[in-house]
Amino acid sequence: MNKRPMSHQFISLNRLCRILFLLAALAGAAPGYSQTNPMKTGKVERIKVHGKGLEGNLAGDSPDRDVSVYLPPSYQTDKKRHYPVIYFLHGFTDSDDKWYGFTKHWINLPAVADKTLADGKTGEFIIVTPNADNRYFGSMYSNSVTIGNWEDYVAKELVAYMDEKYRTIPQAASRGLAGHSMGGYGTIRIGQKHPEIFSSLYLLSPCCMTPNMPGNPQMVSRMEAVKTVADLQKADFGTKAMFASAASWSPNPTNAPFFLDLPTKEGEPQPLVTAKWAANAPLATLDQNIGNIRQLHALAFDAGSKDATIAATNKVLDGMLTNYKIVHTYEEYDGDHINRIAERIEQKMLPFFTANLSTELVKGGKEK
């Protein structure tokens, strides 16, 4: 039997060792595979931002609001870089601390942002969420003497604060507005009025697109049975939503202790309250704001098919925008109100803002 000379065996072994060494070096240099190169993560801060328009609200809520801020990984190291900003609005009975990992919840927004960055699916953003939880478990991001001027707080005061204190790109082309459920409502409510502040909108399962009136006598009875703050604390979700809607859209400064008018009184519908609620429904106000919506750079919205009521109103919104020939993105996916929201943020919302928010100061933009 012929044998290969020892010198040839040595050369082959030496070459193999060099190949293995090179492969090991390449593996060590690959992001995400080396223990010395872990996934980069952003930083989360929770700050207080005062709202002048929230002062003196009849609910007695503090005008000094908690605000959670996600700063992307490079924010701490690249001190000259400025960033586009996503203002993200949370839902009813939620709060910023739940979304940002301070309180355990069904979602952790900073973790989703970090993962999307690590996967190379998105650019870097500052993400900002104010705490809109209040005496009524949600502000509906509306202006009211009862809860304070939340719409103005988000669109003007909070944006001005962030532009002053953080390295933002202070122009509409670099600002996005998004939200889930009540936050989705707030996004279209505020966004369709202020294209000079926010250029791109993404609505995740937006609630309250049409007036959400009490649907049956049992709900009316539960609602009218609430007489004290303690009663409201113990009430079911739907009853709380009725009070939050009334505090936001039908305030009454003389009607203590809640300073609002409900849509029924002694079981009878109140037509004026119904009219006020309808006047705050985005599908009812869309026609009057078409000029503003045309100025938006991008608009997208989605909902799960099992979230039937919200999915149905999304279809109406899609139809209205289509009639006006306004370019937009609309999706209905297999899911409910919350079970795929993290996935939608990762795979849809953050890439949407990556594609549509400017990372440079555009002509006519205003430097800080």
Side-chain angles (χ1 to χ4, degrees):
M1 182 172 61
N2 293 329
K3 293 183 178 180
R4 182 176 295 179
M6 182 64 72
S7 60
H8 287 185
Q9 292 180 21
F10 176 78
I11 291 171
S12 299
L13 183 61
N14 187 37
R15 184 178 298 165
L16 178 62
C17 287
R18 280 186 288 174
I19 292 171
L20 291 173
F21 177 81
L22 179 60
L23 289 172
L26 290 172
Y33 290 93
S34 170
Q35 291 182 348
T36 61
N37 187 26
M39 183 178 78
K40 294 180 180 179
T41 59
K43 178 184 178 183
V44 178
E45 299 180 348
R46 201 174 192 217
I47 60 175
K48 293 278 189 184
V49 179
H50 182 80
K52 184 72 175 175
L54 302 179
E55 293 176 357
N57 67 83
L58 300 178
D61 292 311
S62 173
D64 297 312
R65 306 305 301 179
D66 289 315
V67 176
S68 287
V69 180
Y70 169 84
L71 302 173
S74 70
Y75 191 91
Q76 303 303 317
T77 55
D78 193 348
K79 299 295 186 180
K80 294 184 178 180
R81 183 175 173 184
H82 289 231
Y83 297 81
V85 184
I86 300 170
Y87 290 84
F88 189 90
L89 308 180
H90 67 74
F92 185 64
T93 71
D94 259 349
S95 54
D96 66 306
D97 59 305
K98 294 176 181 176
W99 276 75
Y100 281 71
F102 295 105
T103 300
K104 189 174 181 180
H105 199 39
W106 54 268
I107 193 168
N108 185 314
L109 183 55
V112 172
D114 287 340
K115 180 181 184 300
T116 312
L117 277 172
D119 291 344
K121 297 177 181 177
T122 181
E124 289 192 318
F125 305 98
I126 297 172
I127 307 177
V128 183
T129 298
N131 183 10
D133 186 27
N134 62 8
R135 179 179 178 181
Y136 302 99
F137 312 98
S139 71
M140 300 298 177
Y141 303 102
S142 302
N143 285 352
S144 158
V145 295
T146 301
I147 60 168
N149 290 346
W150 270 95
E151 182 178 320
D152 293 345
Y153 177 74
V154 171
K156 299 175 183 179
E157 295 183 283
L158 183 58
V159 169
Y161 181 94
M162 291 300 302
D163 285 345
E164 179 183 355
K165 301 296 184 180
Y166 289 84
R167 297 197 313 275
T168 67
I169 304 175
Q171 60 188 5
S174 301
R175 293 193 202 103
L177 184 62
H180 172 247
S181 193
M182 180 184 78
Y185 165 82
T187 297
I188 188 64
R189 176 192 177 90
I190 296 170
Q192 69 175 333
K193 297 179 182 180
H194 294 291
E196 81 286 2
I197 298 174
F198 306 104
S199 65
S200 300
L201 314 180
Y202 199 108
L203 289 59
L204 295 150
S205 306
C207 80
C208 315
M209 301 293 281
T210 57
N212 186 24
M213 309 305 292
N216 54 61
Q218 291 77 21
M219 179 176 284
V220 171
S221 296
R222 291 196 300 270
M223 182 177 65
E224 293 192 14
V226 174
K227 303 298 183 184
T228 67
V229 174
D231 291 339
L232 185 59
Q233 290 285 341
K234 296 181 292 184
D236 62 280
F237 182 91
T239 298
K240 289 175 178 175
M242 290 294 106
F243 274 78
S245 299
S248 302
W249 306 328
S250 51
N252 184 340
T254 65
N255 192 13
F258 296 113
F259 304 105
L260 53 84
D261 288 329
L262 293 169
T264 64
K265 185 174 183 180
E266 297 178 356
E268 294 298 319
Q270 300 298 296
L272 181 57
V273 174
T274 300
K276 290 179 179 180
W277 286 30
N280 284 275
L283 292 183
T285 60
L286 189 79
D287 299 295
Q288 285 71 48
N289 288 292
I290 285 297
N292 289 336
I293 294 173
R294 290 192 191 281
Q295 296 177 49
L296 294 171
H297 177 67
L299 171 60
F301 48 96
D302 61 28
S305 57
K306 295 181 178 64
D307 199 5
T309 301
I310 288 176
T313 56
N314 266 4
K315 288 180 181 178
V316 176
L317 177 59
D318 171 56
M320 294 179 72
L321 294 172
T322 299
N323 286 344
Y324 280 109
K325 296 182 172 57
I326 293 174
V327 177
H328 63 282
T329 300
Y330 157 63
E331 289 187 68
E332 184 175 309
Y333 57 89
D334 182 21
D336 60 28
H337 195 59
I338 65 173
N339 71 330
R340 293 182 63 187
I341 296 300
E343 174 190 326
R344 300 299 295 183
I345 291 173
E346 174 190 343
Q347 297 184 3
K348 300 294 181 176
M349 189 194 88
L350 290 174
F352 166 84
F353 285 122
T354 298
N356 289 296
L357 293 187
S358 175
T359 58
E360 302 291 338
L361 191 70
V362 297
K363 185 177 181 180
K366 187 177 180 181
E367 294 191 23
K368 291 191 289 185

